[in-house]
Amino acid sequence: MTASRPVQPRPGDPAITPALIAEHGITDEEYRRLVEMLGRAPTFTELGVVSALWSEHCSYKHSRPLLRTLPTNAAYVLQGPGENAGVIAIGDGLAVAFKIESHNHPSAVEPYQGAATGVGGILRDVFTMGARPIAMLNSLRFGSLDSARVRYLFGGVVKGIGDYGNCVGVPTVAGEVVFDPAYEGNPLVNAMCVGLLRESELMRAVAQGVGNPIIAVGARTGRDGIHGASFASEDLSEANEAKRPRVQVGDPFTEKLLLEASLELIHSGHIVAIQDMGAAGLTSSSAEMAARGDVGVTIDVEKVPVREPNMTPYEILLSESQERMLVVAIKGHEDAVRAILEKWDLTASVIGEVIAEPVYRVTEGDRVVAEFPGTRLVTDCPTYTPPAAEHPDIVALRARDVSAIAERPEERDPAWTLLQLLSSPTLANKAWVYRQYDSSVRTNTVVGPGGDAAVLRVRGTDRAIAVKTDGNGRYTYLDPRAGARIAVAEAARNVACAGGRPMAVTNNLNFGNPRKPDVYFQLREAVAGMAEACAALGTPVTGGNVSLYNETPRGAIYPTPVIGMVGVVDRLAHVTRSAFAHAGDAIVLLGEPTASIGASEYLQRVHGTVAGAPPACDLAAERALIDALLDAIGAGDVRSAHDCADGGLAVALAECAIMDRDHPLGARVDLSPWRGLPLRGLLFGEAQGRVLLSTPHAERVLAAAGRHGVPARAIGTVTGGPSLEVAGTARPFTVPLDRLADAYFESIPRIMARTASAASDSPATTAV
């Protein structure tokens, strides 16, 4: 290796001033730390590199100490946090790779491209592990659909997700969509991908082998997305529209080619590492691979294929142009790598190499424009543990006696309340969304969108994978630790209802500005609750994403931890659906109702109130419930199973009756064992640890529950009639299924029709 050349600022680069440093989001103390690391003042290019890698989005500087407390190990975990995606073994030499990430800020500015590129990025995270993507999921949050702006964001995000996934040919099979004023102006767009691989084909992004070439593959580098990582690490403001250039532009057709080329490269034996050029682009991919391998690297930006003239090193390093990968190949195999890329109409250019010298060096031809010692660019990023204190207003909201809230006159008829909840956009059927997604491409989908969890067969075996995303920002707002515990427990219940044993978790932590004591308190407590739940349920965390600074001038979003749960169905015969399936089956409730209506959708929808304590979450009881349910399913005694949570028991009963729209089945239930509970709590309270199932063998299901110490009771029968009948309460009621179905299935289409109608009624304009 030749002797190191001095680092030189480029002619025309701006001077490093306090204003420029602040503009890059670097604090005075961080700048002092940077100067100490370098032993000199940084160049403009180095300042840009550090602003990206030390941004919240890349460095996790406020969350890293907390994330270390999460359980991450199990005998079947092949890859935990720290890689592009987590990987678990599922038997027969097969493994599942999965990860969830956010694209919140870009989607708030440009919903279609923001969501589409979020899908593209999470796909790349999974196939860089050597896994073929087999499913996409999402978790979305928007403001009230009464707002035309929110309807625009909602429509654009859904179309972006659908178009990208459909073009690449990966089914979108599950997810959740929540509407709440707390997300007005700052939607949450979390995308999850699941892939399948052989254990022997697992690939990691660890640079190694002195002299091995570093190769840029895929699309050329442009100016789109520059400072995307920094943009995702700051509050949203009224100036968001000016930040559209920071939003990447995706090309799903190139992504499909890159997917196939990358898998062929991984299986070819010609490469030792591969990494997505995601947030912070070439900078993060090269620096992180070097840090994982504890090696030096050198990159020559003049050799990076670009699609725009006169791009500077600063722009090339920080560009977040999509559909790009960075590969470390075996020296002497460069032509073989190029041949594979050419086969897929893509380019491969050698842009650097792994070196013995412990530096991260960037050159522009003969000029060194950036150089950092060893792996300190990654390892020396500061971490923070700011003050934490719960806001007294939230303490007061949680302590409020919501049982004292007077009923509305209309509530004298519980059917009215039930119809109000079923028509709530948060609880209503989301077919308007998932009909825009191809959920069956590749023909692995056994259970698609609309149920408790999606199920995908594992070809060549008798097993399947059950997957789901879950979260409840309102619960977490009122009690962060309880809200996160419930998110894990509900995701696990949903997977178990589909017949799957919950195995592992990926998470997406969506919070506000962590420098505010009340927000950091929420983050700290939510991570603690998640750790407790994952440990109790035996579902280690294999990776995830942290998205902070989700704020607008109107305030922060609800703290929203989202859980992506993966489970394994031992036999395809155990796959269980949510809707009632056979007239004459008994209806059994596992778990017990309570009097509580705190933090419920009922209070929000009917009374416009967010208050009270969220429902209690007994983690030991949750694990026992899952064990009992899976025992009953394994014995062939369960025809349908549905989680009873959001909206309460009445909503769950209605969903079981009408969820299969082509074959609705009426039911008759008797709730007299709980006549002593307040009616609102019994019907609409969201007590946890409950599953509603139908069975031809009620006595056997009750016996299975008893063996596990789970309260269980037969409460009625699937009649197959035209109505849902609820008896044994102070106000018995009967509701025709067609009324329930109209509220449940037509609510969102009616609301979204307003946007289409307004667009068609608006006068045409001509560009000039």
Side-chain angles (χ1 to χ4, degrees):
M1 190 73 200
T2 59
S4 178
R5 291 159 287 172
V7 179
Q8 302 176 48
R10 295 180 75 252
D13 278 353
I16 306 299
T17 65
L20 187 68
I21 294 166
E23 184 182 326
H24 281 72
I26 297 173
T27 67
D28 291 344
E29 174 57 26
E30 288 169 349
Y31 184 73
R32 185 202 63 76
R33 190 175 186 135
L34 170 60
V35 170
E36 184 275 329
M37 180 202 304
L38 297 175
R40 55 175 170 77
T43 65
F44 178 59
T45 301
E46 289 170 331
L47 188 71
V49 165
V50 168
S51 75
L53 285 187
W54 288 10
S55 70
E56 195 75 54
H57 191 74
C58 290
S59 72
Y60 290 27
K61 54 192 175 186
H62 282 91
S63 58
R64 191 185 300 270
L66 301 175
L67 297 177
R68 292 192 183 109
T69 66
L70 293 171
T72 59
N73 297 315
Y76 50 84
V77 173
L78 304 180
Q79 178 62 59
E83 265 287 352
N84 287 303
V87 183
I88 61 171
I90 61 170
D92 293 335
L94 297 173
V96 172
F98 58 102
K99 178 80 174 295
I100 191 169
E101 283 218 356
S102 61
H103 238 216
N104 302 336
H105 283 48
S107 299
V109 175
E110 214 305 303
Y112 180 88
Q113 288 294 351
T117 52
V119 171
I122 199 63
L123 281 166
R124 293 192 295 279
D125 280 343
V126 165
F127 68 71
T128 55
M129 303 301 295
R132 178 170 292 280
I134 61 170
M136 295 292 304
L137 300 86
N138 51 67
S139 179
L140 312 177
R141 301 290 189 283
F142 300 94
S144 169
L145 279 179
D146 291 335
S147 160
R149 171 70 179 174
V150 169
R151 295 197 297 275
Y152 158 74
L153 292 173
F154 175 45
V157 164
V158 170
K159 184 169 175 54
I161 291 171
D163 284 359
Y164 204 100
N166 295 353
C167 289
V168 176
V170 177
T172 301
V173 297
E176 55 166 357
V177 189
V178 171
F179 301 92
D180 192 287
Y183 305 99
E184 198 87 22
N186 196 139
L188 302 184
V189 178
N190 295 177
M192 177 176 170
C193 182
V194 180
L196 191 64
L197 70 155
R198 295 194 174 277
E199 290 185 38
S200 60
E201 295 170 345
L202 174 58
M203 173 66 67
R204 293 179 172 89
V206 180
Q208 56 186 301
V210 171
N212 279 342
I214 297 172
I215 304 177
V217 305
R220 291 175 173 269
T221 297
R223 289 189 169 96
D224 53 316
I226 293 174
H227 275 305
S230 303
F231 174 38
S233 305
E234 59 190 37
D235 294 347
L236 289 170
S237 70
E238 300 300 334
N240 289 338
E241 292 301 315
K243 296 177 180 177
R244 282 182 183 269
R246 299 191 186 181
V247 179
Q248 308 92 330
V249 177
D251 177 359
F253 300 104
T254 299
E255 179 92 349
K256 172 62 174 173
L257 298 175
L258 185 61
L259 186 163
E260 300 298 342
S262 297
L263 291 179
E264 186 170 342
L265 274 178
I266 290 167
H267 301 158
S268 72
H270 297 308
I271 68 172
V272 297
I274 183 169
Q275 167 115 350
D276 171 35
M277 289 197 215
L282 176 57
T283 290
S284 65
S285 55
S286 55
E288 289 171 6
M289 283 205 295
R292 291 190 191 107
D294 196 22
V295 296
V297 297
T298 181
I299 301 290
D300 185 349
V301 294
E302 284 193 345
K303 296 178 179 177
V304 176
V306 296
R307 64 169 183 257
E308 300 181 46
N310 303 317
M311 288 187 68
T312 66
Y314 182 100
E315 293 171 325
I316 291 169
L317 288 170
L318 298 184
S319 167
E320 294 183 12
S321 293
Q322 297 292 284
E323 294 87 38
R324 299 179 302 156
M325 290 288 185
L326 196 66
V327 165
V328 179
I330 298 173
K331 188 173 183 178
H333 291 234
E334 295 90 338
D335 288 343
V337 170
R338 290 190 188 95
I340 290 173
L341 270 295
E342 288 171 3
K343 171 184 171 182
W344 295 101
D345 291 329
L346 297 170
T347 61
S349 300
V350 175
I351 64 169
E353 66 176 313
V354 178
I355 58 176
E357 190 179 358
V359 297
Y360 176 82
R361 179 180 297 133
V362 180
T363 65
E364 184 184 25
D366 293 332
R367 182 193 304 270
V368 178
V369 295
E371 185 171 295
F372 297 87
T375 58
R376 293 177 63 187
L377 179 57
V378 174
T379 59
D380 272 23
C381 176
T383 58
Y384 300 103
T385 304
E390 187 168 23
H391 199 289
D393 290 351
I394 296 178
V395 175
L397 283 174
R398 186 169 61 246
R400 182 177 171 185
D401 180 10
V402 292
S403 66
I405 295 175
E407 289 186 345
R408 293 174 54 170
E410 300 93 332
E411 292 186 70
R412 286 191 292 266
D413 178 8
W416 178 87
T417 310
L418 175 57
L419 291 167
Q420 288 295 308
L421 286 172
L422 287 174
S423 63
S424 162
T426 291
L427 299 184
N429 179 270
K430 306 302 189 301
W432 187 91
V433 174
Y434 61 72
R435 282 177 182 162
Q436 299 184 52
Y437 306 153
D438 188 335
S439 60
S440 59
V441 63
R442 304 193 65 83
T443 68
N444 292 318
T445 307
V446 179
V447 178
D452 283 59
V455 180
L456 299 115
R457 68 172 54 84
V458 179
R459 291 187 180 275
T461 76
D462 190 35
R463 293 194 304 283
I465 301 165
V467 292
K468 185 63 168 67
T469 56
D470 260 306
N472 191 308
R474 189 187 308 130
Y475 288 174
T476 312
Y477 171 69
L478 291 167
D479 187 333
R481 187 174 293 228
R485 286 161 63 109
I486 289 170
V488 176
E490 185 166 0
R493 280 198 309 274
N494 276 300
V495 163
C497 282
R501 168 71 61 184
M503 298 289 287
V505 159
T506 179
N507 59 47
N508 210 131
L509 305 179
N510 305 274
F511 287 77
N513 185 337
R515 297 172 185 170
K516 298 179 179 179
D518 59 319
V519 172
Y520 191 73
F521 173 86
Q522 293 170 336
L523 179 62
R524 187 191 72 189
E525 289 299 295
V527 172
M530 187 180 302
E532 293 167 355
C534 288
L537 298 179
T539 54
V541 178
T542 64
N545 174 249
V546 179
S547 174
L548 304 180
Y549 298 95
N550 288 289
E551 300 203 12
T552 68
R554 286 170 286 190
I557 60 161
Y558 282 159
T560 310
V562 172
I563 298 297
M565 180 73 71
V566 174
V568 175
V569 184
D570 290 333
R571 294 180 56 199
L572 287 171
H574 296 167
V575 173
T576 307
R577 298 176 186 270
S578 305
F580 291 147
H582 291 274
D585 281 352
I587 301 170
V588 173
L589 178 65
L590 303 181
E592 289 277 350
T594 67
S596 172
I597 56 172
S600 63
E601 183 70 15
Y602 159 78
L603 281 180
Q604 167 86 328
R605 177 70 171 174
V606 177
H607 294 281
T609 298
V610 176
C617 181
D618 182 330
L619 294 171
E622 293 281 1
R623 183 153 190 168
L625 173 77
I626 289 169
D627 289 342
L629 175 60
L630 292 178
D631 277 2
I633 288 173
D637 294 331
V638 178
R639 287 235 174 92
S640 71
H642 185 35
D643 175 35
C644 182
D646 296 350
L649 179 58
V651 167
L653 284 164
E655 289 173 337
C656 288
I658 63 175
M659 200 178 297
D660 184 347
R661 194 171 192 180
D662 294 330
H663 302 96
L665 292 173
R668 182 183 300 114
V669 298
D670 181 353
L671 303 182
S672 56
W674 302 287
R675 186 185 290 271
L677 289 178
L679 187 59
R680 294 190 292 183
L682 172 59
L683 294 179
F684 308 116
E686 297 177 358
Q688 299 297 294
R690 296 185 296 168
V691 169
L692 197 64
L693 58 83
S694 64
T695 173
H697 305 296
E699 69 289 346
R700 284 157 52 173
V701 170
L702 296 174
R707 288 193 298 272
H708 291 276
V710 175
R713 191 181 296 269
I715 63 171
T717 305
V718 180
T719 64
S723 301
L724 173 64
E725 304 170 42
V726 178
T729 70
R731 299 175 193 162
F733 63 96
T734 299
V735 197
L737 298 186
D738 57 359
R739 289 188 66 199
L740 296 174
D742 182 74
Y744 183 65
F745 288 104
E746 301 304 327
S747 175
I748 291 177
R750 286 192 187 109
I751 294 170
M752 294 307 293
R754 298 180 204 164
T755 300
S757 175
S760 64
D761 291 343
S762 63
T765 58
T766 303
V768 292

